[in-house]
Amino acid sequence: MQTSAIFPLFYLPPVGYFSHLKDFEADFLIEKEEHFVKQTYRNRAVVYSPNGPLDLIVPVLKGAKIHTKMKDVKISNDFDWQRLHWKSLESCYRNSAYFEYYEDEFFRFYEQKFDFLFDYNLEIMHWLLKQLKKNVVLKFTAEYVEEQDVAHDFRKRIHFKNPLNVSEFKPYFQVFDDRNGFIPNLSIVDLLFNQGPQSKLYI
């Protein structure tokens, strides 16, 4: 088993994030000291809508995009993006097998206000790990080190623009797969809402 990996902290991370994470079990660090990287999963998730993949983006304050540490990036609450995200999630997954199973607990992330993106993502991460039955104590970087062992550094490796090896993803039923077929590596909530407690068998 490989050890000492470093992972970024994402908003509703893709399935592949957790597939990589399981290879290291408790021996990994969450990057806390990096500068915010725009157009990444750090504030973006991709879900399956009736029309195909849909991006859900957490808005951040404009100044946060210029050399601001990830832990210091503030969420912009100038408009009710949480309501928009929740309505989108409902339209995507209301008819899934397990949406109602998770709904009451999950809704708090779209009702409670958070100031910082890192804190928001971290709260969601704790919840997701609990649902996936992973008893992991998260540990964090104390400083930013740009050059890491590439094989174990997932900070730039997990990106929605990177080509996918579809064969790495085990297909599962998705609500709209009769329209667009199976779409791999969507947000982990796509897997949870469709497979529920069995989700851990797919990562």
Side-chain angles (χ1 to χ4, degrees), residues 33-57:
E33 301 297 326
E34 67 176 355
H35 287 147
F36 176 70
V37 185
K38 62 181 181 179
Q39 294 189 337
T40 69
Y41 288 123
R42 286 161 181 79
N43 67 323
R44 177 192 305 248
V46 186
V47 295
Y48 202 152
S49 79
N51 298 315
L54 173 68
D55 288 350
L56 300 179
I57 299 172

Side-chain angles (χ1 to χ4, degrees), residues 28-29 37 39 43 74 96-97 112 114 142 148 165:
F28 64 87
L29 294 174
V37 185
Q39 294 189 337
N43 67 323
K74 286 192 171 184
S96 65
Q112 180 182 345
F114 289 81
Q148 298 278 356
N165 181 355

Side-chain angles (χ1 to χ4, degrees), residues 80-193:
D80 198 354
W81 64 270
Q82 287 173 293
R83 182 176 183 275
L84 178 63
H85 281 209
W86 184 253
K87 291 297 182 184
S88 296
L89 288 164
E90 280 193 309
S91 69
C92 292
Y93 299 110
R94 174 57 68 189
N95 293 327
S96 65
Y98 290 94
F99 183 81
E100 290 185 359
Y101 179 83
Y102 296 108
E103 182 179 7
D104 288 346
E105 285 190 13
F106 190 58
F107 179 65
R108 82 173 182 90
F109 298 115
Y110 299 92
E111 182 178 44
Q112 180 182 345
K113 296 297 182 185
F114 289 81
D115 292 325
F116 294 94
L117 178 64
F118 190 90
D119 295 342
Y120 182 57
N121 289 354
L122 184 59
E123 284 290 311
I124 292 176
M125 184 66 166
H126 283 306
W127 185 83
L128 290 170
L129 290 170
K130 178 182 176 183
Q131 309 318 309
L132 294 170
K133 303 293 190 288
K134 293 192 174 295
N135 186 20
V136 176
V137 176
L138 296 180
K139 296 174 288 188
F140 306 93
T141 56
E143 61 179 340
Y144 179 71
V145 179
E146 184 172 359
E147 297 298 326
Q148 298 278 356
D149 183 335
V150 176
H152 300 167
D153 185 353
F154 292 90
R155 294 174 299 179
K156 296 179 182 178
R157 189 167 157 189
I158 304 175
H159 198 291
F160 58 86
K161 293 182 179 179
N162 289 345
L164 290 178
N165 181 355
V166 178
S167 64
E168 293 180 3
F169 299 93
K170 188 186 301 183
Y172 56 88
F173 173 79
Q174 294 171 317
V175 176
F176 302 111
D177 62 8
D178 59 328
R179 305 186 191 188
N180 299 294
F182 175 69
I183 302 178
N185 205 35
L186 295 174
S187 168
I188 190 68
V189 296
D190 182 82
L191 179 58
L192 281 172
F193 293 153

